[in-house]
Amino acid sequence: MARRPGRPRASGDPDGERDTRRDVLDAAAALFCTVGFTSTSTRAIADAAGVRQASIYHHFAGKDAILLELLLGTVRPSLELADALAAGTEPAAARLWTLVHADVGLLCAGPVNLGVLYVLPEVAGEQFAEFHALRSRLRARYSELATAAGDGDDRGELALGLVESVILRRRDDPAVDVAAVQGAVADGVLRLVGCTPAEIAQARAVPVALAV
C-alpha cells in the first residue's frame, strides 16, 4: 500500500501499513490516563506512537485536539444509537436497556479506561465545548427514555450516572467481566426508573432492531 504524504514515521514504516492517526490517539490515551494531560508533551506522544513529532500536527492542531477526539469517541457512538432508539417502536424499557447495555460496553472497550479523562480539570475548558454539548444531548436522550420507560419521573441524570459508574469500577478492577456488568447496569437502570422485575425481564427479551 502506498504511503500517504506528510506522515513520516520515526520507526521507519515506509509502507504505511499502520494508521498514524490511530497510533497517536492510542499513545496519547495511555499517557493522558497514566501520566496526566499537563505532564504529557507532544514529543512524548510521538515517541510512544513511534512517529515524528511533526506527524502529530499533520493530524491534530495540538494536545487539546487529541484529547477532544478521545473524549468524543466515548460519547458519539452512544449518542448516535440513542438518537436512533428515540425513533424506535419497541417498548421504551427495551430501548433504554439497549442503550445502557451498549453505552456500558463502549466505556469498557479498549485497553485504556478513557472515561477517567472526564475528571481532568482541563476538560472544563471552552475548547472541549463540543464534548460537553454531545454529552448533554446524550443525557437528554436518557431522560426521554427513562421518563417513558418508568413511572414518569425524570431520572435521566441518575441513569447516566449509574452508567458512568463503570468508569470507577473498571479503574478498580481492570479485569472486570464486561458482559456481566453490562447486564447488571442495564437492569439496574430499569429498576432505578421504576420498572418491575417482570418489565425488566421483558425488556431484556425484546429484540431491538437498532441494537449494536
Side-chain angles (χ1 to χ4, degrees):
M1 179 184 296
R3 185 174 182 78
R4 283 182 283 175
R7 298 176 58 193
R9 182 174 289 280
S11 59
D13 179 21
D15 296 327
E17 293 178 353
R18 298 175 64 193
D19 186 337
T20 299
R21 180 182 176 86
R22 185 70 257 168
D23 287 345
V24 168
L25 287 171
D26 289 345
L31 290 168
F32 292 163
C33 290
T34 54
V35 180
F37 179 75
T38 302
S39 300
T40 299
S41 66
T42 54
R43 180 175 295 278
I45 295 171
D47 289 345
V51 302
R52 296 173 184 161
Q53 193 173 9
S55 297
I56 292 179
Y57 295 102
H58 177 74
H59 297 278
F60 302 99
K63 282 201 309 178
D64 285 353
I66 296 173
L67 178 54
L68 176 59
E69 186 62 26
L70 290 170
L71 290 168
L72 292 177
T74 68
V75 176
R76 190 183 286 126
S78 293
L79 178 58
E80 291 173 354
L81 174 61
D83 286 343
L85 289 170
T89 58
E90 297 85 0
R95 288 182 283 141
L96 178 58
W97 194 94
T98 298
L99 175 59
V100 173
H101 191 274
D103 203 0
V104 170
L106 177 66
L107 290 173
C108 290
V112 178
N113 186 7
L114 289 176
V116 300
L117 298 176
Y118 290 9
V119 299
L120 289 175
E122 295 83 4
V123 173
E126 292 183 1
Q127 63 271 41
F128 302 107
E130 183 181 0
F131 161 68
H132 293 295
L134 292 188
R135 192 157 172 251
S136 293
R137 286 174 53 195
L138 179 60
R139 185 183 298 111
R141 287 302 192 194
Y142 267 104
S143 292
E144 293 171 9
L145 286 172
T147 300
D151 53 19
D153 290 338
D154 181 359
R155 295 193 176 97
E157 184 76 33
L158 293 174
L160 183 57
L162 184 54
V163 169
E164 293 183 346
S165 70
V166 302
I167 296 169
L168 296 180
R169 173 74 180 276
R170 186 181 180 191
R171 183 198 64 184
D172 295 338
D173 180 12
V176 63
D177 184 338
V178 177
V181 171
Q182 284 178 284
V185 174
D187 288 355
V189 166
L190 292 195
R191 285 194 294 271
L192 176 67
V193 304
C195 292
T196 66
E199 290 170 334
I200 294 172
Q202 183 180 26
R204 291 178 64 110
V206 172
V208 177
L210 294 173
V212 297

